[in-house]
Amino acid sequence: MKIRLAAPITKDSIVDGPGIRAVIWTQGCPHRCKGCHNPQTHSFDAGIEADVNDIIAQISRLKLHKGITFSGGEPLEQAAACSEIAKRVKEMGMNTWLYTGYIFEDILSECQATRPEWGELIKYIDVMVDGPFIEQMKNLLLKFRGSENQRVIDVQKSLIEGKIILIEDK
Ligand code: SF4
């Protein structure tokens, strides 16, 4: 399976979730947030094509890493490939974060309606930072998110309890 990336994996991020993390920069985003820091990731035709098995192999060689983070771009637009990576990463004992411009509640309803691949992906995601970047709500003091509307969500607890469970910024 192939995935379109904006750049090679970043292997030692400390700002895209807790601990040392590998970041997967998916290419293509439909949200077009004003003030987006990564406008080069918007086009669905740009970037580089990568093999999912190669990405998984790269991650398996990381020894000090706490987890991986899907960023972009919009990872949900390549949910099947991200799902395969996330599933294998969870088997390696690492945690998974995902940044999306979609709203968590909308993702859940679309899983049932038109995007079953989103439901498959979120089974393997521990934490989701949701919502578009809103320039008027930008706050540089926020950890792991850019604007105050965005939420750091414990995905699995939220699914079990049937309501949004936020995690502390840590
Ligand atoms: S969702 Fe993220 S990548 Fe997409 S336009 Fe908004 S800030 Fe940029």
Side-chain angles (χ1 to χ4, degrees), residues 29 31-33 36 41-42 72-74 101 133:
C29 181
H31 303 296
R32 302 292 195 270
C33 307
C36 170
T41 68
H42 293 180
E74 174 52 69
F133 172 69

Side-chain angles (χ1 to χ4, degrees), residues 6 14 38 42 56 79 85 93 101 122 128 150 170:
I14 54 169
N38 298 319
H42 293 180
I56 292 166
I85 295 167
I122 65 174
M128 178 184 291
Q150 294 170 321
K170 56 188 176 188

Side-chain angles (χ1 to χ4, degrees), residues 57-109:
Q58 288 184 54
I59 295 168
S60 73
R61 290 193 285 271
L62 302 173
K63 298 301 173 210
L64 300 173
H65 289 60
K66 188 162 186 173
I68 68 162
T69 299
F70 294 99
S71 189
E74 174 52 69
L76 287 181
E77 296 301 333
Q78 300 190 75
C82 291
S83 177
E84 182 63 23
I85 295 167
K87 179 182 176 189
R88 298 286 298 279
V89 165
K90 291 298 294 175
E91 289 168 1
M92 294 174 206
M94 292 195 223
N95 65 44
T96 55
W97 280 46
L98 183 145
Y99 283 78
T100 178
Y102 291 107
I103 306 290
F104 188 71
E105 290 88 336
D106 295 340
I107 294 168
L108 293 188
S109 53

